């Protein structure tokens, strides 16, 4: 194992924050991972995947293990479905492209989501009407203490909107090493109901879309409003969309009849945090090196040299203004370290 000391994590987080790790190791096999976890200097490690959902506000004084396990294999198939085993360090969007090249359907709506496959279950990534749980078969995770590997079924993972057991009870206790996805080989189920997808397909005069068409449309929509982390440091949606109960929602509606919303059930209503943040006056505003993206207020950006603390201060200012104006608490989606 190759241990590096005082390693800059700038290249390892999509916000591009220049914090340091006291000890850092990148592992590319499960045996190497187990060996590292047995080493005394790697007690209580911080596990790093694609770095697309973290905000580093200080140097990490815990040892950092970068999960770089690679490989995609076909585990089983029937006439209509295939189960792929994807190692945790595989880049998510490259996996989507691989599936499209093989005509495997199910994750085309999740095109261009930054990050790695192993971290996708942690927050049940989702976009344009599809969530990871819709194609999830199982995953394997290594217990940090016992070094035992356990298979988690979909039910075991307790998936919810941007949430799972790995963000709750098992936070910091296991490392996901691989994810099995169940995809369609033919008769793909297309998810085109998300407004902008339907519109763009119509504009492009595509009446009988393929999964490749859907991916292209999603890429076009995302690229038009979400900044590319390679050009402008960011972590996608910084906050979750808040969910209101029926009573709070009725009150909110009375005062904000023009607000968009999504009815989850008769008792749960999701309000776009981006809309709340825009109405609170933050969209496109810059505060030193930190800012709120001009095309999507849910995304906080690093203009180049922001300290994580600066971005976190801005996030807290936004939270308090939204609370003051609408009485709604918006919870960060990103893990603040
Ligand atoms: N809106 C505004 N102002 C803004 C942003 C949004 O008024 O600055 C309004 C839009 O007009 C629209 C509504 O909010 O009526 C929803 O906007 P959008 O379709 O862009 O989706 P979102 O709720 O802002 C969520 C996910 C995104 C995902 C999109 C598409 C969360 C926290 N975010 O955003 O996920 O790509 O839906 O499915 O659920 C991510 O998690 O990093 C991410 C980008």
């Amino acid at each position: 194992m190759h241990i590096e000391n005082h390693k800059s994590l700038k290249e390892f987080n999509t916000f591009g924050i220049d914090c340091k790790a006291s000890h850092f190791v990148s592992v590319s096999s499960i045996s190497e991972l187990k060996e590292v976890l047995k080493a005394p200097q790697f007690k209580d490690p911080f596990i790093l995947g694609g770095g697309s959902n973290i905000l580093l506000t200080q140097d990490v004084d815990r040892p950092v293990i970068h999960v770089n396990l690679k490989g995609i294999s076909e585990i089983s198939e029937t006439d209509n479905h295939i189960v792929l085993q994807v190692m945790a360090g595989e880049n998510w969007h490259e996996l989507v492209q691989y599936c499209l090249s093989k005509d495997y359907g199910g994750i085309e709506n999740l095109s261009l989501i930054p990050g790695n496959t192993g971290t996708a279950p942690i927050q049940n990534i989702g976009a344009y009407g599809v969530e990871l749980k819709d194609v999830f078969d199982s995953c394997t995770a290594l217990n940090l203490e016992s070094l035992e590997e356990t298979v988690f079924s979909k039910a075991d993972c307790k998936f919810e909107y941007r949430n799972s057991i790995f963000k709750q009870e098992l936070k910091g206790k296991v490392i996901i090493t691989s994810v099995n996805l169940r995809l369609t080989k033919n008769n793909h189920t297309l998810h085109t109901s998300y407004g902008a997808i339907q519109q763009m397909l119509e504009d492009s005069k595509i009446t009988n879309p393929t999964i490749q068409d859907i991916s292209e449309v999603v890429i076009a929509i995302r690229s038009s409003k979400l900044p590319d982390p390679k050009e402008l440091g960011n972590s996608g949606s910084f906050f979750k969309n808040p969910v209101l109960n029926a009573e709070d929602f009725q009150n909110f509606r009375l005062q904000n009849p023009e607000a968009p919303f999504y009815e989850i059930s008769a008792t749960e209503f999701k309000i776009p945090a981006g809309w709340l943040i825009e109405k609170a006056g933050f969209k496109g505003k810059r505060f030193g090196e930190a800012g709120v993206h001009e095309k999507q207020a849910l995304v906080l950006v690093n203009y180049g040299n922001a300290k994580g603390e600066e971005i976190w201060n801005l996030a807290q200012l936004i939270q308090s203004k939204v609370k003051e104006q609408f009485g709604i608490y918006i919870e960060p989606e990103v893990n603040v370290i």
Side-chain angles (χ1 to χ4, degrees):
M1 68 179 122
H2 175 58
I3 300 173
E4 295 172 74
N5 297 324
H6 309 295
K7 166 95 171 167
S8 168
L9 297 176
K10 192 171 165 64
E11 304 299 319
F12 293 90
N13 70 99
T14 58
F15 256 125
I17 305 289
D18 192 9
C19 283
K20 298 207 166 33
S22 53
H23 308 297
F24 176 95
V25 70
S26 185
V27 295
S28 49
S29 72
I30 298 207
S31 55
E32 193 183 2
L33 177 57
K34 287 183 178 171
E35 189 193 334
V36 167
L37 289 169
K38 281 183 204 154
Q41 68 267 49
F42 279 89
K43 281 271 162 278
D44 188 27
F46 175 78
I47 310 301
L48 182 64
S52 62
N53 209 35
I54 52 169
L55 173 63
L56 298 168
T57 59
Q58 54 194 323
D59 285 341
V60 186
D61 57 8
R62 291 154 63 198
V64 173
I65 301 179
H66 176 233
V67 179
N68 199 26
L69 307 168
K70 298 282 189 191
I72 302 175
S73 37
E74 303 185 348
I75 294 287
S76 64
E77 62 183 311
T78 61
D79 286 349
N80 300 327
H81 289 94
I82 183 142
V83 176
L84 291 187
Q85 181 183 58
V86 187
M87 298 307 288
E90 287 289 341
N91 174 273
W92 177 263
H93 182 63
E94 285 170 22
L95 169 69
V96 174
Q97 302 280 295
Y98 169 87
C99 291
L100 291 171
S101 74
K102 297 264 192 175
D103 206 30
Y104 298 153
I107 53 175
E108 54 283 353
N109 291 49
L110 305 180
S111 296
L112 219 58
I113 295 187
N116 287 351
T117 307
T119 40
I122 299 177
Q123 61 149 348
N124 181 26
I125 59 169
Y128 307 104
V130 173
E131 288 185 335
L132 180 80
K133 72 169 169 49
D134 302 329
V135 291
F136 183 91
D137 176 80
S138 60
C139 68
T140 303
L142 184 72
N143 187 296
L144 290 176
E145 288 292 319
S146 67
L147 301 189
E148 269 169 31
E149 289 174 67
T150 307
V151 175
F152 289 79
S153 69
K154 191 193 288 199
D156 293 335
C157 294
K158 300 189 188 167
F159 288 126
E160 288 174 6
Y161 165 62
R162 296 292 193 276
N163 204 2
S164 77
I165 193 168
F166 306 110
K167 228 176 157 176
Q168 302 295 333
E169 298 96 290
L170 293 182
K171 188 172 179 176
K173 298 206 164 80
V174 298
I175 301 177
I176 296 172
T177 51
S178 65
V179 180
N180 286 8
L181 301 178
R182 187 168 178 272
L183 304 169
T184 48
K185 288 176 16 184
N186 42 52
N187 296 326
H188 305 303
T189 307
L190 304 182
H191 299 271
T192 58
S193 58
Y194 202 91
I197 293 191
Q198 195 59 51
Q199 188 61 49
M200 202 171 266
L201 287 171
E202 278 169 29
D203 293 350
S204 314
K205 307 225 169 355
I206 300 174
T207 46
N208 203 4
T210 61
I211 53 174
Q212 290 77 10
D213 291 330
I214 307 264
S215 171
E216 276 173 33
V217 163
V218 167
I219 289 174
I221 299 168
R222 285 188 76 100
S223 314
S224 72
K225 36 177 158 174
L226 297 169
D228 180 348
K230 289 193 193 95
E231 285 158 23
L232 194 59
N234 76 90
S235 192
S237 305
F238 193 91
F239 298 99
K240 289 191 201 180
N241 287 331
V243 176
L244 303 187
N245 65 31
E247 192 189 338
D248 289 348
F249 176 68
Q250 289 314 331
N251 291 334
F252 173 78
R253 272 293 269 172
L254 278 175
Q255 286 172 23
N256 306 281
E258 76 289 14
F261 66 92
Y262 173 69
E263 184 172 344
I264 303 173
S265 68
T267 54
E268 289 180 308
F269 299 83
K270 200 187 269 182
I271 315 291
W275 186 89
L276 300 171
I277 297 168
E278 180 172 344
K279 291 291 163 194
F282 286 99
K283 192 169 185 171
K285 289 272 166 65
R286 183 170 174 161
F287 299 77
E289 289 289 290
V292 179
H293 191 50
E294 56 181 3
K295 294 186 189 137
Q296 165 55 288
L298 200 48
V299 178
L300 303 190
V301 297
N302 172 5
Y303 280 104
N305 296 308
K307 297 244 178 304
E309 228 180 348
E310 255 178 294
I311 292 177
W312 182 225
N313 286 343
L314 172 56
Q316 289 173 300
L317 178 67
I318 292 171
Q319 278 180 315
S320 66
K321 288 277 180 209
V322 166
K323 179 84 186 153
E324 192 182 300
Q325 194 166 329
F326 298 100
I328 296 176
Y329 168 71
I330 51 172
E331 182 191 352
E333 188 206 273
V334 167
N335 291 301
V336 181
I337 312 296

